[in-house]
Amino acid sequence: MSGIEDVARAAGVSKATASRALTGHGYVAAATRERVARVAHEMGYVPSSSAASLATGRTRNVGVVMPYLNRWFFAEVLEGIQEVLLESGYDLTLYDAKPGTEGRRRVFDDFLARKRFDGLIAVGLEPDDHELERLVAIGRPVVSVVAIGDNAGVVRLDDEYAARRATTHLIELGHTKITFLGGVSVTSGPHVDRARLSGYQRTMTEAGLTVTHVRSEVSLPGGYAAAVDLLGDPERRPTALLATCDEVAIGAIIAARRLGIPVPSALSVVGIDNHEFAEMFSLTTLEQSPRSQGMQATRMLLGQLEDPARVAQDVSIQARLIVRNSTAPPPGTPSVTVGVGVTS
Amino acid sequence: MSGIEDVARAAGVSKATASRALTGHGYVAAATRERVARVAHEMGYVPSSSAASLATGRTRNVGVVMPYLNRWFFAEVLEGIQEVLLESGYDLTLYDAKPGTEGRRRVFDDFLARKRFDGLIAVGLEPDDHELERLVAIGRPVVSVVAIGDNAGVVRLDDEYAARRATTHLIELGHTKITFLGGVSVTSGPHVDRARLSGYQRTMTEAGLTVTHVRSEVSLPGGYAAAVDLLGDPERRPTALLATCDEVAIGAIIAARRLGIPVPSALSVVGIDNHEFAEMFSLTTLEQSPRSQGMQATRMLLGQLEDPARVAQDVSIQARLIVRNSTAPPPGTPSVTVGVGVTS
DNA sequence: TTGAAAGCGGTACCAT
DNA sequence: ATGGTACCGCTTTCAA
């Protein structure tokens, strides 16, 4: 395994010159640079990253902390991050921080403290005070996808807006019995679900409609289970459902089908995400593109790395409504109304 | 940021002793060790990993290469790997190697060559000759999940067996028109699907039954689309479907429901995976636990790292059949037959 | 434009 | 059991 010294010798220059030629920092005669580069290539020279890191203090590595890897949103964000890092020659070190686990504690207390990265991307982390403090203590730039509650750079969906938009869509179709499916409450549970629930509640209240909220585990099977429960009871059954995310919405659609409730003629369903399955289920939803959020966050971080003076930004995304075939006017509406009320 | 030298000074010992006390290598008086440890802790000392790597040649980091992050199998494997590495204090560097992309080329030609890891885990990689050569050239232990075609350590599902077992299950129920859904052919496409298709074909042939294979993109929407096509044509419609994986199987079940074909009374469906959605769809399937495959592979790799003499193993897993409610005897079978023929 | 040499922060050998 | 010191391989200042 040849080091830079071997390359220098073979090219007939000093280590210093070889380093300059290879890194592009400092003056080197064009001819020299070329010769060194060629020799290095021929010898199959690959710089030792630990030596370079030790000398420069930079790792050319970015850390990514996220609580789930196997959920659509997170996997997509991760792919987006990976794509940009790959282009930029940065490695990506992944830290899995599942809420409430010993592993998460170790990630914050041990792993991150090692600073084996130049910067960090936190995805949907919802850190508590202690964790936030650790994050800040690292002293490296942090950008987050989904708010994190401090002054770091952020890329996020405007959740409140998305929920308002979705609710408005249903109200405009003529619905009055609209139930929000998912999350815990406005004051507890993941921030994302709280913001969406809140957007729904405000819109309903402003329209003089009654708010109804049914909890559901935030996953496809969770939405299915909750919807089976809700829709099975004719007393409680609404004419429209706003789910906290597409996974829950799709679970609900599957539940409705099993119960023989036609969507959208007897029940409208809206989600938030534009999940990869949304099209297959003709789901009306609000688009958030997690992949491009990951890409944006990464670009923001890389920008800060190359110019520490750069101010951290806060990018808020207004989701676009995608109307498919899971929403229609409520049953009994004269067919002159607006909308795409085609029966499935 | 205090270094080991500061710790040594504060504890009144030499750098060497401090290092020994902190790493646990070599003799140190118990009292000394304790004092050094305490001082280090008080000072918030965190060793520089690049310095340590440079000195020891070991990174305490494991690389993971996989072609997809957003598919169930891969995400699960990744979580399993992450879990074991976290326990062992290893970092995890992720390399996304999507087939046919420029990014993949760079991963193999540039990123992996930097050897910023002590060992590598390749998941479902299906490397071509060039890529395999690069992998070997790295000169670090490699363990793969899903075969890789060389002499590395492997943890994998016995795909041929899984398909045979699934096919046998359907044959025992009395089915004769069984179609395999997914994959490309026995000689092309991903190895996994080829092996499963092959297991199906042999079992069918041995039973004197006719082989029918319908291609499908290997995803839930893919299975849905392919099944809509197949089941929509009464001429071609079989009484049972064996899907190359649960995602395809579930797509097919959804398609069947949409077409008004009751599962399992008019159509039996078997998958391979035991996907997180399998239970919700009452899917009969062969269980493979990707999470534990990831964990096993990681333990195998860590074992090789601490004892390079250790022989690489080849762990092959025989999937267990989980009978749920997506399989039943074919329509028209007298009800005295064996099986779990409950109509959905 | 190039070279010599001093680190970067640990580890581990060799003495003591 | 502990200390002195020579590396690990690269970057970067300073002098030439």
Side-chain angles (χ1 to χ4, degrees):
Chain A
M1 208 188 47
S2 41
I4 201 174
E5 183 135 31
D6 305 300
V7 173
R9 199 177 309 119
V13 296
S14 70
K15 254 171 68 176
T17 303
S19 173
R20 265 167 291 185
L22 263 12
T23 60
H25 293 308
Y27 288 116
V28 194
T32 311
R33 179 194 334 283
E34 213 167 306
R35 182 158 35 90
V36 173
R38 187 166 37 71
V39 171
H41 182 76
E42 281 165 4
M43 300 178 69
Y45 167 72
V46 178
S48 147
S49 44
S50 23
S53 298
L54 181 57
T56 60
R58 305 204 44 186
T59 60
R60 296 202 69 81
N61 182 33
V62 163
V64 175
V65 199
M66 37 171 79
Y68 311 100
L69 307 175
N70 58 0
R71 269 173 47 192
W72 175 78
F73 178 83
F74 294 91
E76 287 287 313
V77 170
L78 186 55
E79 289 210 349
I81 294 172
Q82 178 74 267
E83 187 176 335
V84 175
L85 290 180
L86 220 54
E87 278 170 10
S88 316
Y90 272 75
D91 275 3
L92 149 21
T93 296
L94 185 63
Y95 300 99
D96 186 5
K98 300 211 179 312
T101 61
E102 166 67 9
R104 179 165 175 133
R105 217 219 72 229
R106 297 198 57 195
V107 164
F108 280 93
D109 291 350
D110 305 339
F111 285 78
L112 296 183
R114 293 186 203 150
K115 312 185 208 197
R116 294 172 70 138
F117 39 75
D118 296 334
L120 218 43
I121 301 179
V123 187
L125 210 48
E126 313 235 359
D128 63 27
D129 292 346
H130 168 68
E131 292 168 349
L132 198 53
E133 185 198 316
R134 303 297 308 203
L135 236 34
V136 173
I138 297 171
R140 296 256 188 287
V142 178
V143 166
S144 55
V145 178
V146 180
I148 201 179
D150 73 337
N151 51 355
V154 181
V155 175
R156 59 149 159 242
L157 185 72
D158 183 339
D159 291 297
E160 173 114 11
Y161 170 82
R164 296 183 73 100
R165 185 70 194 82
T167 311
T168 304
H169 170 63
L170 292 170
I171 293 174
E172 283 174 356
L173 284 172
H175 291 274
T176 54
K177 289 190 67 176
I178 305 172
T179 297
F180 187 90
L181 195 58
V184 182
S185 79
V186 178
T187 51
S188 69
H191 182 267
V192 171
D193 301 317
R194 272 150 59 184
R196 294 179 183 177
L197 177 54
S198 155
Y200 154 80
Q201 289 187 346
R202 289 212 208 157
T203 313
M204 291 294 278
T205 307
E206 284 165 21
L209 298 174
T210 308
V211 163
T212 49
H213 170 215
V214 170
R215 294 187 188 184
S216 155
E217 200 190 293
V218 182
S219 69
L220 207 155
Y224 177 80
V228 164
D229 230 50
L230 171 67
L231 302 175
D233 178 355
E235 295 301 308
R236 294 163 65 213
R237 187 194 302 172
T239 62
L241 236 36
L242 167 53
T244 193
C245 73
D246 281 4
E247 281 158 306
V248 171
I250 290 168
I253 289 181
I254 294 172
R257 287 184 185 165
R258 305 268 1 200
L259 294 169
I261 303 167
V263 173
S265 58
L267 178 76
S268 286
V269 180
V270 189
I272 297 175
D273 271 347
N274 199 27
H275 189 282
E276 58 173 327
F277 297 166
E279 181 144 29
M280 165 179 164
F281 287 92
S282 295
L283 180 67
T284 293
T285 190
L286 277 112
E287 176 172 41
Q288 77 167 316
S289 168
R291 171 178 222 94
S292 76
Q293 288 180 51
M295 296 178 67
Q296 275 191 68
T298 310
R299 293 211 186 87
M300 193 185 287
L301 181 67
L302 294 181
Q304 285 188 45
L305 291 182
E306 68 182 34
D307 176 12
R310 189 173 305 205
V311 184
Q313 307 157 56
D314 186 337
V315 176
S316 184
I317 298 162
Q318 307 267 307
R320 185 173 62 93
L321 177 68
I322 299 177
V323 178
R324 293 205 182 85
N325 202 14
S326 69
T327 47
T333 309
S335 58
V336 277
T337 44
V338 220
V340 283
V342 182
T343 305
S344 80
Chain B
M1 210 190 44
S2 40
I4 200 172
E5 184 135 30
D6 305 298
V7 174
R9 198 176 310 116
V13 296
S14 70
K15 250 174 73 174
T17 302
S19 173
R20 262 167 285 173
L22 262 15
T23 61
H25 292 309
Y27 289 117
V28 195
T32 312
R33 171 182 353 273
E34 214 167 305
R35 179 159 36 91
V36 174
R38 186 169 35 73
V39 170
H41 182 76
E42 282 165 5
M43 299 178 69
Y45 166 73
V46 178
S48 148
S49 45
S50 24
S53 297
L54 182 56
T56 60
R58 306 207 42 188
T59 60
R60 295 204 68 83
N61 182 33
V62 163
V64 175
V65 198
M66 37 172 81
Y68 309 100
L69 308 174
N70 59 358
R71 268 175 45 193
W72 174 79
F73 178 83
F74 293 91
E76 286 286 314
V77 171
L78 186 54
E79 289 212 349
I81 294 173
Q82 179 73 268
E83 187 177 335
V84 174
L85 291 180
L86 219 54
E87 280 170 11
S88 318
Y90 272 75
D91 275 5
L92 150 21
T93 296
L94 186 63
Y95 300 99
D96 187 4
K98 300 211 180 309
T101 61
E102 166 66 9
R104 179 166 175 132
R105 216 219 73 231
R106 297 199 56 196
V107 164
F108 281 93
D109 291 350
D110 304 341
F111 284 77
L112 296 184
R114 293 186 202 151
K115 310 185 211 199
R116 293 171 72 139
F117 40 75
D118 296 332
L120 217 44
I121 301 180
V123 186
L125 209 48
E126 314 233 359
D128 63 25
D129 292 346
H130 169 70
E131 292 169 348
L132 199 52
E133 185 198 316
R134 304 296 308 202
L135 236 35
V136 173
I138 297 169
R140 296 255 188 287
V142 178
V143 166
S144 55
V145 178
V146 183
I148 201 179
D150 72 336
N151 50 356
V154 181
V155 175
R156 60 149 159 242
L157 185 72
D158 183 337
D159 290 297
E160 173 113 12
Y161 170 82
R164 296 183 73 101
R165 185 71 193 82
T167 311
T168 305
H169 170 63
L170 292 170
I171 293 175
E172 284 173 357
L173 285 172
H175 291 274
T176 53
K177 289 190 69 178
I178 306 172
T179 296
F180 187 92
L181 195 59
V184 183
S185 78
V186 179
T187 50
S188 69
H191 182 268
V192 171
D193 302 316
R194 272 152 57 186
R196 294 179 183 178
L197 177 53
S198 156
Y200 155 80
Q201 288 188 345
R202 288 213 208 156
T203 312
M204 291 294 278
T205 306
E206 283 165 20
L209 299 173
T210 307
V211 162
T212 49
H213 171 215
V214 170
R215 294 186 189 184
S216 156
E217 199 190 294
V218 181
S219 69
L220 206 153
Y224 177 81
V228 164
D229 229 51
L230 171 68
L231 302 175
D233 178 355
E235 295 301 310
R236 292 164 65 214
R237 186 194 304 172
T239 62
L241 236 38
L242 167 54
T244 193
C245 70
D246 280 4
E247 280 157 308
V248 171
I250 291 167
I253 289 181
I254 294 171
R257 288 185 184 164
R258 306 266 3 199
L259 295 169
I261 301 168
V263 173
S265 58
L267 179 75
S268 286
V269 180
V270 189
I272 297 177
D273 270 349
N274 199 28
H275 190 281
E276 58 175 328
F277 297 166
E279 182 144 27
M280 167 180 162
F281 287 93
S282 296
L283 180 65
T284 294
T285 191
L286 278 113
E287 176 172 39
Q288 77 166 315
S289 168
R291 172 178 221 93
S292 74
Q293 288 179 51
M295 296 178 66
Q296 275 191 68
T298 311
R299 295 213 184 88
M300 193 184 290
L301 181 66
L302 294 182
Q304 284 187 48
L305 291 181
E306 67 182 34
D307 175 13
R310 193 173 301 206
V311 183
Q313 308 156 55
D314 186 337
V315 177
S316 182
I317 297 162
Q318 307 269 308
R320 186 172 61 93
L321 176 69
I322 299 177
V323 179
R324 293 203 182 86
N325 203 14
S326 71
T327 48
T333 308
S335 59
V336 275
T337 42
V338 219
V340 284
V342 182
T343 306
S344 80

